[in-house]
Amino acid sequence: MTTFVVTPADAVAGIPDGATVMIGGFGTAGQPVELIEALIDSGARDLTVVNNNAGNGDRGLAALIGERRVRKIICSFPRQTDSHRFDTEFRAGRIELELVAQGNLAERIRAAGAGVGAFFTPTGYGTPLADGKETREIDGRNYVLEYPIHADVALISAYAADRAGNLVYRKTARNFGPIMATAATTTVAQVCELRPLGGIDPEHVVTPGVFVDRVVPVPAQPEERP
């Protein structure tokens, strides 16, 4: 059953030091900033974070990295013009990076939620990303064996939830949220709207409430409003 809480602090309560935390978002689109800020305030550290990026500017994931709470990050796109928090920590040797091709990252997360033990992919074969990994030729093409990524907690942002915990997203903010929700032991969602049962058309549900453990409402940002 989905639990509805009042504050982001309540939503992230109990996340321990050393946890593996998936954080939704593609850059700033769909990033659960309020949940990340609450995670910083909670004091949790030595975290392994799974995200497409490694933070933007000084908010959200970038702030979590800047506070030196992240031991390792698994991502596909760590560096960009405003990734200075990650750049500083990486150059100082204070954060470990596991670089994963974006499609492989998405599929490794999806595989965890689907119960897939491992899968072969051609992406990365013949590059340093395949070093030390099992490879196989299948029908004349070379593949690399990749394993699922599981998490203790997923922090995601959705547009609305109903009272059963079903989620819908807004446009590109959807990105990694749906697959991360299935791949974590505990899924926490921040939403802009809470709706009654029946307030979301069943045909429009993206993440069923069975995958959602905690929901917290947060004010919608201007870019999140219809």
Side-chain angles (χ1 to χ4, degrees), residues 26 52-53 75-77 100-108 123 176:
F26 192 99
N52 186 61
N53 302 77
C75 71
S76 70
F77 194 69
V100 183
Q102 191 173 87
N104 286 356
L105 180 67
E107 184 62 9
R108 288 177 68 187
T123 304
F176 284 84

Side-chain angles (χ1 to χ4, degrees), residues 2-226:
T2 304
T3 300
F4 292 82
V5 297
V6 176
T7 69
D10 296 330
V12 303
I15 297 178
D17 294 350
T20 296
V21 182
M22 290 180 175
I23 297 179
F26 192 99
T28 57
Q31 184 177 174
V33 173
E34 287 80 1
L35 290 178
I36 299 170
E37 290 174 346
L39 182 61
I40 294 172
D41 292 340
S42 78
R45 59 184 64 251
D46 197 32
L47 303 171
T48 295
V49 168
V50 183
N51 183 262
N52 186 61
N53 302 77
N56 304 82
D58 297 298
R59 293 192 69 206
L61 177 54
L64 185 68
I65 292 171
E67 290 289 328
R68 300 181 185 174
R69 305 295 182 80
V70 182
R71 178 187 64 81
K72 177 180 178 180
I73 188 160
I74 303 172
C75 71
S76 70
F77 194 69
R79 298 201 63 221
Q80 51 203 33
T81 56
D82 59 353
S83 61
H84 51 272
R85 293 293 188 102
F86 168 78
D87 294 350
T88 298
E89 296 306 301
F90 185 73
R91 287 170 177 160
R94 290 189 290 260
I95 188 170
E96 179 185 348
L97 170 65
E98 181 179 340
L99 188 64
V100 183
Q102 191 173 87
N104 286 356
L105 180 67
E107 184 62 9
R108 288 177 68 187
I109 297 169
R110 191 202 68 81
V116 175
F119 61 92
F120 282 101
T121 172
T123 304
Y125 180 84
T127 75
L129 296 181
D131 288 351
K133 297 179 180 179
E134 180 181 341
T135 61
R136 185 176 298 183
E137 183 179 322
I138 303 173
D139 292 333
R141 191 174 188 186
N142 292 308
Y143 292 81
V144 180
L145 184 66
E146 295 283 359
Y147 288 90
I149 301 174
H150 298 268
D152 300 300
V153 182
L155 305 181
I156 63 175
S157 177
Y159 183 71
D162 67 14
R163 286 296 175 176
N166 299 308
L167 303 180
V168 292
Y169 303 80
R170 184 172 186 271
K171 300 182 179 180
T172 58
R174 177 168 169 172
N175 52 71
F176 284 84
I179 56 173
M180 287 183 171
T182 70
T185 302
T186 300
T187 294
V188 182
Q190 64 173 60
V191 299
C192 302
E193 290 185 4
L194 286 179
R195 299 180 184 175
L197 285 176
I200 298 175
D201 185 331
E203 296 295 332
H204 296 166
V205 170
V206 177
T207 298
V210 69
F211 294 112
V212 182
D213 298 281
R214 300 177 195 168
V215 171
V216 60
V218 299
Q221 299 301 313
E223 65 272 13
E224 297 171 321
R225 296 170 186 150

